[in-house]
Amino acid sequence: MSDLHYFRPDWIDASDETLSADVCVYGGTAAGVVTAAKAARLGHHAVLLQPGKFLGGMTTGGLGNTDFGRKHTIGGMARAVYRDIGRLYGVDEEWFFEPSKAQVVIDRLAAEIGDGNVRLCQYLDGVSRDGSNRIEAVHLLGGLTVRARVFIDATYEGDLFGMAGVDFTVGREDNAVYGETLNGTQVDIKHQFDAARTSPFVVAGDPSSGLLPFVEPGDARRRIGRGDHRVQAYNFRVCMTDDPSLKIDWDRPDGYDPLKHELTVRWLAQAEKDPYNDLLRHPRREVVGADHAPRKFDVLTHRTADGYGKTDTNNHGPVSSDFIGANYAWPTADYATRERCFRDHVRYQRGLYWTMANDPRVPDEYRRAVAAWGLPRDEFAATGHWPHQLYVREGRRLVADHVVTEHDCRATRVAEDSVGLGSYTMDSHNCSRFVCPTDAGPVVMNEGDVQVPPTEPYPISYRAVVPKRGQGPNLLVPVCFSASHIAFGSARMEPVFMVLAESVAYAADLALRGDVAVQDVNYDELRPMLEDAGQVLEP
């Protein structure tokens, strides 16, 4: 696992080079690759800078069980990505795929950007702006400088616009800020402990022993709807296999801390008695040596002739792969801090699977179920078969002249300048754990989970992917676009990011050809270009 990192100083080569381009894209997510490739197709010199060794973000990083909401809303280059992945399997299109297949397609797209125009291990060090707040150049650790006429921030964190002097936010707004009902602190019954049983203390039932890691004092139910700094939990979307010829058994990670998995053991030990935890007793399919396979080991479409498969394994239940409470610093942290956070997430999640498969206090049926799976030898070879991308579900969010909110998702407000559609559930994973008082004594509960479907597919405004007027006149933001916490939870899906990425490439084309600020791009010119490209703009 020695190459599994977010950031290492020795990855960075010293350089005194200055590149000049029409379009500079910072962030090699799938959206970043799409927008740079589209800019190149439109005849512009594009440069793509990736802070890391791998392209594709979550699309190549383990999220193979694609969250798309309503599939018919995905068009243009985004839809073509899933068609190209499908061709690798001999089908028309594929939305449930192995990471290695997605990597092939993303790398082919990146090749269109041109030799020398895709630069890896490029971490932003500074931004130069002129008197009108226009970005003139970005400066990278190691000394590379890139000058461009238009810049596009395609990171999951919003690092470029975070340095560019534009308005942004991190965390959850009060419901009162935008007149919402699902923002701020939320306590729900989904992905929740049984409120009558699980102790939050190091020694169960003994307050003097102190709280378990990442359990906060105070009853979160007293602050429902109130905003805070918390962001929904991160995890790795781990590709697993039950194929004995490929499977690598779980190992106990270096630095393993059993206290960080005590809640897992307590929950699984009582799961048969806990009506909320029936999820573990519903097999997804038969697995070798197991009677019960935990849910969200989502088996991908294509299996071997013997019936073995690979998964996109996500979080599910009161305690799972989400490392709740460990990510608050990430959105605005420096690279060294993110590296520590990244490694902590790797250690936690590897420790979780080892605990579930090996701790003798875990009921035997669950230990056998988890032990039947392991990492596949033919995925993520460069990073010890573990995904290279942490699932950063939200980082900074732009605050622009249009903020996508619950009102857009519920169709009580409809943007007239659509550059793509959102359609997924208003979704937030849990954000924290807290001590809940009960008649039987304090117990642990989760807060932050929301899962409410939108009324219908809804337009995302062009004004949400550009900064406010007077800010960032040559900056476009297709990933960390302007949205409230809960609305971003609906639209933050890889296909939507790619849709918006293609749309902003066309906007950049108009801004370049007209020599105008991105806020002054004529939407009446932009819209027919998007429609001709196959974008779906109306519900």
Side-chain angles (χ1 to χ4, degrees), residues 279-418:
L279 62 95
L280 274 177
R281 304 194 60 80
H282 293 288
R284 299 290 292 182
R285 69 182 205 82
E286 292 299 319
V287 294
V288 174
D291 297 318
H292 301 87
R295 284 183 63 186
K296 299 312 290 179
F297 283 43
D298 289 324
V299 181
L300 303 173
T301 302
H302 301 275
R303 299 179 182 168
T304 68
D306 295 326
Y308 297 117
K310 294 179 183 175
T311 70
D312 166 2
T313 308
N314 196 8
N315 181 84
H316 199 96
V319 58
S320 184
S321 59
D322 280 357
F323 195 4
I324 297 173
N327 63 338
Y328 302 149
W330 182 280
T332 58
D334 61 32
Y335 302 126
T337 301
R338 285 186 185 166
E339 167 67 10
R340 289 192 295 272
C341 185
F342 182 96
R343 297 295 298 176
D344 285 346
H345 276 74
V346 174
R347 188 177 299 110
Y348 165 78
Q349 199 165 338
R350 288 175 67 89
L352 170 78
Y353 299 137
W354 183 87
T355 299
M356 294 175 74
N358 291 279
D359 194 302
R361 296 173 294 168
V362 173
D364 182 63
E365 61 183 339
Y366 304 144
R367 279 190 285 122
R368 287 187 290 116
V370 177
W373 298 88
L375 299 178
R377 298 182 188 278
D378 59 347
E379 298 287 346
F380 301 117
T383 53
H385 311 290
W386 189 268
H388 50 72
Q389 176 67 55
L390 180 64
Y391 194 1
V392 177
R393 288 188 170 94
E394 59 180 327
R396 298 176 181 89
R397 299 189 307 281
L398 190 67
V399 178
D401 288 329
H402 183 103
V403 179
V404 181
T405 70
E406 188 177 332
H407 301 291
D408 295 86
C409 299
R410 294 188 185 275
T412 58
R413 177 179 69 166
V414 179
E416 296 181 353
D417 53 349
S418 173

Side-chain angles (χ1 to χ4, degrees), residues 87-108:
R87 290 188 183 100
L88 298 178
Y89 289 108
V91 297
D92 289 340
E93 61 184 25
E94 186 54 78
W95 302 80
F96 309 108
F97 47 81
E98 297 157 283
S100 53
K101 295 293 195 295
Q103 192 70 63
V104 169
V105 171
I106 290 297
D107 288 347
R108 286 175 182 169

Side-chain angles (χ1 to χ4, degrees), residues 78-89:
R79 192 62 175 251
V81 165
Y82 299 101
R83 288 175 179 151
D84 288 345
I85 294 172
R87 290 188 183 100
L88 298 178
Y89 289 108

Side-chain angles (χ1 to χ4, degrees), residues 19-26 35-36 39 44-49 133-138 146-154 160 462 465-467 472-478 501 503-519 521:
L19 299 177
S20 295
D22 298 317
V23 177
C24 176
V25 180
Y26 185 68
T35 199
H44 301 294
H45 178 200
V47 170
L48 175 63
L49 306 172
N133 288 322
R134 179 181 293 271
I135 300 173
E136 295 181 319
V138 293
V146 180
R147 299 184 176 277
R149 295 173 62 195
V150 171
F151 289 83
I152 296 172
D153 187 335
L160 176 54
Y462 176 66
V465 298
V466 298
N474 64 336
L475 175 63
L476 293 143
V477 183
S503 292
V504 303
Y506 278 107
D509 176 63
L510 288 176
L512 288 166
R513 290 196 284 113
D515 195 23
V516 297
V518 293
Q519 294 88 349
V521 166

Side-chain angles (χ1 to χ4, degrees), residues 12-15 17 19 24 26 47 49-51 119-127 137-147 151 160 335:
I12 299 168
D13 294 327
S15 172
E17 186 179 8
L19 299 177
C24 176
Y26 185 68
V47 170
L49 306 172
Q50 161 62 352
R119 303 294 181 98
L120 304 179
C121 300
Q122 299 296 333
Y123 294 85
L124 195 62
D125 190 36
V127 172
V138 293
H139 310 283
L140 292 308
L141 294 179
L144 177 67
T145 293
V146 180
R147 299 184 176 277
F151 289 83
L160 176 54
Y335 302 126

Side-chain angles (χ1 to χ4, degrees), residues 126-189:
V127 172
S128 296
R129 293 178 288 156
D130 66 14
S132 65
N133 288 322
R134 179 181 293 271
I135 300 173
E136 295 181 319
V138 293
H139 310 283
L140 292 308
L141 294 179
L144 177 67
T145 293
V146 180
R147 299 184 176 277
R149 295 173 62 195
V150 171
F151 289 83
I152 296 172
D153 187 335
T155 63
Y156 292 125
E157 295 86 2
D159 283 344
L160 176 54
F161 71 72
M163 286 190 180
V166 305
D167 290 349
F168 67 86
T169 189
V170 176
R172 302 180 288 186
E173 298 89 350
D174 276 17
N175 271 329
V177 172
Y178 297 118
E180 297 175 299
T181 64
L182 300 174
N183 217 328
T185 301
Q186 300 287 325
V187 180
D188 199 1
I189 64 170

Side-chain angles (χ1 to χ4, degrees), residues 6-17:
Y6 167 78
F7 167 78
R8 285 179 58 101
D10 60 5
W11 287 352
I12 299 168
D13 294 327
S15 172
D16 59 1
E17 186 179 8

